[in-house]
Structure formats: structure tokens, C-alpha cells
Amino acid sequence: MNTAQTTRACETCPAHNVANLVKLGINLEGTDYVVALAGNPNTGKSTVFNALTGLRQHTGNWPGKTVTRAEGAFSYSDKRYKLVDLPGTYSLLSTSTDEEVARNFILFGQPDVTVIVVDATRLERNLNLALQVLEITDRAIVCLNLIDEAQRLGIAVAERTLAKDLGVPVVPTAARRGIGIQDLLHTIHDVATGAVIPKPKRIVKHAPQLEKAIGSLAESLQSKFPGLTNARWVALRLLEGDDRIISAVRTGEITSILSLTELPRETVGEGVLE
Amino acid sequence: MNAISNDDILLKAGNLRWEVGENLHDSLMESLYTEASRIADRVVTRSGAPGRFNWDRALDKLLTGRWTGFPIMILLLMVVFWLTIAGSNVPSSLLASLLLDTVHPVLRSLGESLSMPWWLSGFLFDGVYLATAWVVSVMLPPMAIFFPLFTLLEDFGYLPRVAFNLDHLFRKAGAHGKQALSMSMGYGCNAAGIISTRIIDSPRERLIAIITNNFSLCNGRWPTQILVATLFIGALAPPALSGFLSASAVVAVALFGIALTFLTSWFLSRTVLKGEASTFSLELPPYRPPQVLKTLYTSLIDRTILVLWRAVMFAVPAGAVIWLISNIHVGELSIAEYAINWLNPFGLLIGLNGVILLAYIIAIPANEIVIPTILMLTVASTGVSGYGEGAGVLFELEDNLQYLSVFQAGGWTLLTAVNLMLFSLIHNPCSTTIYTIYKETGSVKWTLVSSLMPIAMGLSLCFLVAQVWRLATAGG
């Protein structure tokens, strides 16, 4: 009997790992990795959040329930994770406050893993956001949530094909019932530790001329702002004429957004009518 | 290399923009959508038998129908309140008899056995403890019923349908349709409702939603509404119907609050916050079977206990204040009596009385303690015998008839009850809400508007009702 082998066998058994999950609630001290939960509104991000952290972030069946970032923690296989539940957003190019919170965090908060929660019953619309997120980060996982509901509606999603098409791991879940959470944990762990390196297919092919423009602009950005991640993404937004990104570059704020520890304080009272 | 400035980069971007063509954004979006649709086509297969009965669509037809939507909404509201009122009677009196009849005497005798001075045991047990016990026994049962019911509806997916139903009314009022959602959140807690206005993009519409959120009765005010309706309005009907009548009265006040929300939004969007209603898309989520046990657990633990805890935190100092002002005498009268006498003429003018006004001043930190405060002050100032154990001491009341006799001794009429219900709907927000408004708007001006406008409206309305009432009853 080889003991070492037995231990290994245990480690790969899901039953062992269930016991391995420690829900840490709001104890955020000394976390090793930061995991962001992104996705369209009402896809169950908060439910996934609760399942992982043991917190009871209020969930409700309506889009727009989460308007601020919620943070919690869990520990799994000796690593401590900070989990950030972001407000739902249809796009990374929009303008409202709650969607801005999500966009800034994925862009500049540099999460170690971004879990994109998608609604299996509305895959096409949800993929729009997923593809946008995959343009700015490699370390992403797609959490194909609400598969129980999809089943009820007679919708089947070939998750392996999806994973192949996107180039990132896809984990089917029904978070309300706790189904698939185990696989999700395992995948988060693999991606965070680098055991699995997702290679998202940057599907949207650019025309050669545009590609050249992005490259040259990104180079300038990188030399001006050495700490900037996602220089290519910022370059593309500049070429598009995205007002917020333009003003962030003008003021140099684009680098300070890097230290996004505070939620941007938004005030609506001033400037409406004075 | 570092010599380039931020503006150089922008200039470069501006120049390159000409080369890549001006429709870049559109073409990028288009290729994104095409890609999403291509992948979705590849991986999704639908096997739903054609012609299968679609529950979601059938329910939506009913719940958001032109003729059925509103009646069902009101009916659901009625059912929720009726269940809350009817269901909380028994546990409320059980709790009261436990906390007030049993525990309180034990505490007092404990104080005596420790030979505490009278003012210390009075302050601790008659002031602090009794106010707390009162809040727990009055608030816990209705909240333990109301919150789970509301959460079940929310879980099921009913809230976006309410937003859908109310959308065209909000648009007519010049406000954002999503205000229906922040309004619904306000029924739990106005501070939470105000934070939830973040889903509204336009600052103008968001301000309207913030200012009018106070017209959603929050859980601190439900117990006042329910108790007063049960005592005064329910008593007008034969016993079999009194539950129904009290529930109707509470629903009427809640609906009046919704009407005021529209009216105020309309007024604001035509005057100081002029502008067109912006369009938005709201996804109607699928109906989901609510998880009953989980909902019960979370709404009991999270919302009920949390809100109750807050109420207790505020009841403790309020109980102390009430005991102190009733027991510190300046000359003949206690401070409380001076204040009541001073407020009384104005109170009576607007169909309330000095006790109620003083109670609202003491209860600015939290609306939850309005009713206990009113009761304590009434007893203290009228000297009704047989209920209290001294000045400023909360007392145990075994049934509704006793409440009624205390109120009647305080000179209460049906008008007082009606106006109290109205005033409880329309007055300044509690201190937590005011602070939240300040945090969200970042503006002293709008915080003041949100706090002072409702109280001016409430006082005027009560005055108006009192005059009409007196004219009508004098004539008849």
C-alpha cells in the first residue's frame, strides 16, 4: 500500500474537497488571490457569491439588485481567496454608475481570476459581455449558471464546445441548488495557481490597419504609463473615442484607477441644478 | 521616450482615428454580436416540444395585463397585510406577557434585593428595559411575517412586473420607470431604497427617486400603521370583518403613499428638476419557484433580526430619555408635561396632539419607537390610573381594549387616529435615511429638501384633514 498515492487519490476526490472549502465570510485578511464575479444582471452572481463565502448577500429575482461591490472570502486547498461580487452589466462600454463599478474593477482592479457568470437560458446575449471581458483578461472562467432552468425550458448547452470556442474553462452550475459549485471551486483554484492557463480566443479579428494603429498607440501608452495593464484595450477605446477613457488619459487618472480599493464615490446632487 | 505628454497620446489617437475609419465603434460592436450569435448557435440546442404550455408567458399576461395587473397587485398587497395583521396578534400578546408581565417584575425585585436607589432601577428597568421589551413585542411578530412574505414575492420574480405595471405612470410623472424598484425596496427600509436608486442612470431622475422614497412606508412605520388601524379603524366594523377593514386601511395608506410618490415626482419634474423621462430596458426575469425554507431563514435572520436590533439600539436611549423627562420636575410639572402642553395647541390644530408631536421629536433617530413613546407619554401626562407604575413607566396592556382606553383618556378620536396614520406616512425621514441621502447625493441642499418637504406636506395635509373633518362633523 503506497500511502503517498492514497493521499493523492483523496485529494482528487470531490468529497475530500468539499470538506476543503472553508467559508470565511467577511474575514478578508491575508488573501492570496482576488476573484471577481462578473456577468449580466440577474444571472445569479450573488447566489454564487453566497455559495462560496457563506455570506448572505441579499439575493432577489430582479436585474439591478447589486449596485455596489460586495466582498467576501473563502479558503480552498490551503489558499485564501477574496471574492468580489460586481454589479451586473450588459456591456463594458456603458455609462451608468453601477456598470462603471464593474468595468473599473475588471479593467484596473486586476483580479487574479474573473468568473463570468452567464445565464444558460439566454446564452447569446450573455456572450456579448463574456467576449468583451475576454478581450481584457486571460484569467477568466465562464460559469454557465441556471442550467436547471435551462433544462426545464428544454435548452441544452454543449459546454465543451463552448469552452473550446472561447478558449477558457466552462463550468455548468445551478448555484441555487449548490450544483457545480465544487467544480467551480476547483477551476478557480486551477486558474489562480496557474495549473490551468486559459487561452481566450481573441475572436474579433481586426483589420490590419486597425491592428497597426492599436499596436502603435498601445506602445505609446505603455511607455507613458508603465504600470498600465490592458494597454491594447485602452488604445482601442481611445481610437473609438470613448470619452471617459480619453479624460482618464488626459488627467493621468488612468494609472490611479489601478489602486482601486475604494468604490468610486458618486454624487448626483451637484451639477444637476445649482 | 518619457518626454511625450498625455496630450500627445490623445493627439496621436485622434490622428489614427482618421485612418481606421469613423464607424469603428459600430463595426466593433457588430463583429462582437455576430461572434456571440455564431457561438450560441453552435452550442445551444432547443428541444422544447412545440406548443408546450408556457407558464411564464401566461403568468405575465395575467400579472402585467392591462386590466388584471393593477387589481392583482392590490389584492396581493391586501393578502400580505391581512396575513401580517391577523397573524401577529397572538404572538405579540404572548411576547408582551412574557417580557412585560414576567421578566419585568423579576428585574424590579432583583433591583430591590440589590437595594438599588429608586432612580437607578427606574432608569434601567422602567426606562431602558421596558422601552426595549415593548419594541421587541410590538415589532418582532409583524416583521417576522411581513418580511418573508415580501421576500417570497421578490424571489418569485414579481418586483420587475410591478415596475412594468407602474412604468407608464412614472413616465407620465417625468420619472424613471426603475423608480418602481427603489420604491419597493423602500418598503423594507428607506435607507436601502435610497441606495438602490443607483440603478437609475440619470442624476435628475435619481434625485426624484431619492426625494420621494420616503413615501414608501418602511418597516419602522408599518407597526404604527397596523396598530392604529387595528385599534381605531378595525373597531368600526363587526369583529368578523375588523381584520379585513384594518388591512384595507393600511393598504389605503400605502396606496396613498404611491399616489404621493407620483404626484411629488410629477411636481419635481415640472419645477426644480425639469426634464424628459429617459428610456430604459428592463429584463423581465423568468419566474422562479421561491425557496420557501431558505427564504424564511434568511429573511428572519438577516432582515428581521437586523432591523429589530436597530430598533432596540434606538429604543434603549429613547426609553432613558422618556423616563428622564417624565421624572425630572421643574416646579410643578415634569419636562415632558411642559413640552406636551406647549405643543398641544398646535397639535390639536392639525388634528393630532402634543403627545404625538413630542413622540415624533424623540423618535427622529428611529420611527420604530413612535408608538411606545406615545403610550408612555400619554400615561405620564394624563395620569390614567391602573396601567402604569409611576411616571414615565411603560406598562403592560393585555389587550387592545386597554390600549383603546388609554388613548381615549388621552383625548384621542377617530380623527387623531386617521391623522396619525397620515402623519406617519408623511414626515421627515429617520436619521439613518437622512444620512444616507446625504452620502448618496453629496449635497446639503438636496438632503434638506428631502427632509423638510415631507414634513411640510404632512403638517399641511393633517391640518387640511382636521379642518374638513371638523366642518363635516359639526355640520352633521
Side-chain angles (χ1 to χ4, degrees), chain B residues 276-345:
Chain B
E276 290 300 308
S278 50
T279 52
F280 70 102
S281 60
L282 179 72
E283 209 174 328
L284 291 184
Y287 293 100
R288 293 185 180 137
Q291 295 166 301
V292 178
L293 285 178
K294 201 168 161 190
T295 303
L296 273 179
Y297 176 79
T298 49
S299 54
L300 268 178
I301 299 302
D302 289 354
R303 285 177 131 173
T304 311
I305 300 298
L306 202 86
V307 169
L308 193 71
W309 179 242
R310 194 181 92 95
V312 168
M313 291 308 288
F314 282 109
V316 168
V321 166
I322 296 166
W323 189 85
L324 285 174
I325 62 172
S326 315
N327 281 283
I328 297 176
H329 287 70
V330 181
E332 289 285 292
L333 297 172
S334 65
I335 295 177
E337 283 165 303
Y338 275 117
I340 291 167
N341 291 343
W342 185 72
L343 288 166
N344 225 3

Side-chain angles (χ1 to χ4, degrees), chain B residues 221-473:
Chain B
R221 296 181 275 167
W222 289 118
T224 309
Q225 297 289 344
I226 292 169
L227 187 74
V228 176
T230 313
L231 290 183
F232 285 89
I233 315 277
L236 297 174
L241 287 176
S242 67
F244 174 75
L245 192 66
S246 338
S248 315
V250 176
V251 171
V253 171
L255 289 179
F256 183 59
I258 296 178
L260 277 177
T261 303
F262 287 126
L263 212 70
T264 315
S265 303
W266 181 84
F267 174 78
L268 288 171
S269 72
R270 297 269 172 316
T271 53
V272 285
L273 290 167
K274 271 202 194 85
E276 290 300 308
S278 50
T279 52
F280 70 102
S281 60
L282 179 72
E283 209 174 328
L284 291 184
Y287 293 100
R288 293 185 180 137
Q291 295 166 301
V292 178
L293 285 178
K294 201 168 161 190
T295 303
L296 273 179
Y297 176 79
T298 49
S299 54
L300 268 178
I301 299 302
D302 289 354
R303 285 177 131 173
T304 311
I305 300 298
L306 202 86
V307 169
L308 193 71
W309 179 242
R310 194 181 92 95
V312 168
M313 291 308 288
F314 282 109
V316 168
V321 166
I322 296 166
W323 189 85
L324 285 174
I325 62 172
S326 315
N327 281 283
I328 297 176
H329 287 70
V330 181
E332 289 285 292
L333 297 172
S334 65
I335 295 177
E337 283 165 303
Y338 275 117
I340 291 167
N341 291 343
W342 185 72
L343 288 166
N344 225 3
F346 180 66
L348 291 174
L349 182 72
I350 59 168
L352 295 169
N353 57 43
V355 168
I356 297 176
L357 291 182
L358 181 61
Y360 267 97
I361 294 170
I362 296 177
I364 284 178
N367 283 293
E368 287 85 344
I369 50 173
V370 163
I371 281 282
T373 311
I374 289 175
L375 278 168
M376 278 169 69
L377 291 173
T378 303
V379 171
S381 66
T382 55
V384 197
S385 59
Y387 297 117
E389 295 175 48
V393 178
L394 265 175
F395 39 83
E396 65 268 27
L397 292 178
E398 269 156 29
D399 57 32
N400 287 343
L401 278 177
Q402 287 186 330
Y403 285 121
L404 205 55
S405 66
V406 171
F407 282 137
Q408 278 161 350
W412 285 49
T413 61
L414 190 56
L415 170 65
T416 322
V418 170
N419 269 2
L420 176 57
M421 286 177 80
L422 288 175
F423 192 68
S424 144
L425 173 70
I426 321 162
H427 69 287
N428 56 292
C430 72
S431 54
T432 312
T433 306
I434 295 176
Y435 178 65
T436 309
I437 294 174
Y438 176 70
K439 267 202 323 201
E440 291 293 314
T441 61
S443 143
V444 176
K445 184 181 120 189
W446 290 113
T447 309
L448 282 175
V449 169
S450 321
S451 313
L452 298 179
M453 191 196 65
I455 193 152
M457 286 172 71
L459 292 176
S460 325
L461 184 74
C462 286
F463 175 75
L464 208 71
V465 170
Q467 302 317 309
V468 172
W469 189 289
R470 280 171 189 148
L471 275 178
T473 47

Side-chain angles (χ1 to χ4, degrees), chain A residues 42 56 58 68 90 96 125 149 152 154 156 158 165 176 203 220 223-224 238-240 268-270 273, chain B residues 2 6 12 17 25 35 42-43 45 47 52 154 198-199 201 206 272 283 285-286 288-289 302 441-442:
Chain A
N42 212 35
R56 292 181 305 267
H58 181 63
T68 54
Y90 289 108
S96 77
R125 183 164 3 118
E149 219 163 82
R152 184 168 67 88
D165 278 5
R176 255 161 72 101
I203 309 131
S220 306
S223 68
K224 179 69 192 166
L238 287 180
L239 290 173
E240 265 188 291
V268 297
E270 310 302 335
L273 268 173
Chain B
N2 261 331
N6 300 358
K12 186 174 178 186
R17 209 173 297 153
H25 180 78
E35 190 58 32
R42 255 165 70 90
V43 299
T45 43
S47 61
R52 207 180 86 166
E154 189 186 341
R198 291 183 184 182
I199 54 174
D201 311 351
R206 195 173 155 204
V272 285
E283 209 174 328
R288 293 185 180 137
D302 289 354
T441 61

